Amino acid sequence: MIWNEKVECMGKEEKEALQLKRLKETVNYVYENVPLYKSKFDEVGLTPDDIQTLKDIEKIPFTTKEDLRSAYPFDLFAVSQDDVVELHSSSGTTGKPVVAGYTKNDLDLWGEIIARAIAMAGGKKHDKIQNAYGYGLFTGGFGIHHGALKFGAVAVPISSGNTKKQIEVMEDFQTNILTCTPSYALYIAESLEKYGVSLDDINLKSGIFGAEMWTEGLRDKLEEKLGILALNIYGLTEILGPGVATECSKKNGLHINDDCFYPEIIDPKTNKTLGEDEMGELVLTTLTNEAMPILRYRTKDLTSIEKDKCDCGRTTVRMMGIKGRTDDMLKIKGVKVFPSQIEKAMHTVEGVSGNYQIIVSREATLDELQIKVEISKDFFTGEIKKLDLMEINLFNAIRSETGLRAKIILSEPDSLPKSEGKAKRVIDKRKFE
Amino acid sequence: MITNEHTVKELSIFVNNKKGKLQDALNCLSGVNIRALSIADTLKFGIIRCIVSDNEIAIKTLEDNHFLVKENEVAAIIIDDKPNSLNNILNIFTEKDIDIEYAYAFSNNKTNEAIVIICFSDMELAKDLIKKENIKVLTKEYIDENF
């Protein structure tokens, strides 16, 4: 089912006309209502009238996370405090948190884009959505919640954590769609057996997983262990929250809701706009946000965009999954490595549970890459040979993916830090001075 | 009982090379009697193999403490106290292409019996052979009573 066929299957010209109209409105709107944007425009001698085509967007200065932090808490709001009905915030683990504000219309829009995601996941009216994203300031929990209500599904606001309860609800309520981070979904999947629950006892058909990067290997595991269709959802607090883009059942990239968010791909070094299929940093401009419109936000997420029509019938452009972040790239022994590469390599090896940790350290002048990997419970037979082989396979898989020789450390199940929110999987102990 | 058709359930416990990890694992076994024990180690991890009085309790305690543990079938073969007797027995198996995955030995002070615990590559074939060649093996009950 396609939730909003009119917009999601709109022809190219009509879509571009809509985007241009909304871009012009947004530019005028921020210029008049957000002093920070007005001064950004004035600095480069730009006025809203200079935006006449979609390509003119390239004239607009970027917005960065630092801009959002310095505007903390409300300086980027384009509406009066009286019109704001909900506030969210990022955790602020890497600095000052980023605040997101919503008007009534923004919440409606948020619900709309999540409803599109639920439809992509095969949702039907009255389906029960087990929402195991954290409820709180984090946008994940409430975003999905608003969407479930808009869709006409039944929201089960269990929030994250308490795995025993998750499985109990899954079995007793016969929930249909699970929403949470992929690493937590895996944890739930692996805990089923422990609580004596089989796939016959539960009724899940799909999962909408996001808020952290994941790979095809992890998807295969989730689909097999939970008996579901596992789909990726993308979003960020700075740009409304989850639902900016979601996968359909074709799993051929994430459909960006490009009637609400205008995507560009740029070269993060030269800041030049890149073409279709070229890998670069995703830059997003909100086209419909009221409380906090954002122009050309540097997401730091690396991806590429495809514009052809998807087999599902939707014409919204697709981003081909996040391949890394401009700031989580590790440079080890001079080699550029993304954690996603290591994760991808790892999932090709038998016996890996999915939970892992990457530790980079430096002895004197030499970088050392250590990878701690949990052994899957079913894989362990007590044979040393089998574990040795697993270790060798991991070493080889990582070497062929990254070119690096990693020290593999096998660990027991559940011995590595497990995240119920964003997984913290890279520890860089090197001191750069 | 000494028979020619029984096997024993042994536990294999994964222990990674972290300080105190081995003691942690052995602590989990403090509620049961250890009849036989062997520790195999590689550069980065070790496997404790043991025969204990109560597998169920041992497994539960170990798993509650996040250890990776597996129950395996092994043969507890009695070896005559004569030169070359272990070799003679092993030859019976190698001739039939049954490999020895690992083995460890212990002895009974009361009866002076030497016992070798062996995990064969194919336990089903090994069991047939034990029966056919009338090789003396111990039952779990016998081990519990005499060791």
Side-chain angles (χ1 to χ4, degrees), chain A residues 343-360:
Chain A
E343 188 172 338
K344 184 179 158 209
M346 235 178 48
H347 280 296
T348 63
V349 176
E350 202 200 348
V352 172
S353 84
N355 207 24
Y356 67 96
Q357 206 171 36
I358 298 169
I359 299 158
V360 192

Side-chain angles (χ1 to χ4, degrees), chain A residues 288-303:
Chain A
T288 41
N289 281 17
E290 273 186 356
M292 214 171 88
I294 300 285
L295 301 179
R296 303 196 84 201
Y297 183 66
R298 300 279 300 249
T299 65
K300 294 188 176 176
D301 289 321
L302 295 171
T303 185

Side-chain angles (χ1 to χ4, degrees), chain A residues 4-40:
Chain A
N4 188 339
E5 212 168 323
K6 183 171 174 291
V7 176
E8 290 178 86
C9 303
M10 195 177 262
K12 188 167 184 274
E13 277 168 32
E14 199 184 345
K15 172 66 67 62
E16 286 181 355
L18 178 70
Q19 286 173 326
L20 181 59
K21 176 175 163 277
R22 288 180 171 173
L23 175 65
K24 285 181 174 175
E25 285 167 3
T26 300
V27 168
N28 271 309
Y29 178 61
V30 298
Y31 191 77
E32 278 162 28
N33 295 293
V34 186
L36 189 130
Y37 272 115
K38 185 173 184 305
S39 62
K40 263 182 183 277

Side-chain angles (χ1 to χ4, degrees), chain A residues 194 372 375-378 380-385 387-388 391 406-415, chain B residues 12-16 18 21 40-42 44-47 49 63 66-72 101-102:
Chain A
K194 184 167 144 198
K372 290 190 177 173
I375 306 164
S376 128
K377 201 166 173 273
D378 312 334
F380 181 69
T381 57
E383 272 178 85
I384 291 180
K385 255 195 314 208
L387 294 176
D388 274 344
E391 201 181 297
K407 185 176 170 192
I408 310 292
I409 298 173
L410 300 181
S411 310
E412 298 92 342
D414 302 334
S415 62
Chain B
S12 295
I13 307 154
F14 176 87
V15 187
N16 64 12
K18 227 192 256 166
K21 206 71 189 168
D41 72 330
T42 72
K44 293 177 197 156
F45 61 85
I47 306 271
R49 307 190 195 282
E63 285 189 342
H66 302 295
F67 277 99
L68 197 49
V69 54
K70 176 88 182 177
E71 209 175 27
N72 280 323
E101 296 291 334
Y102 54 83

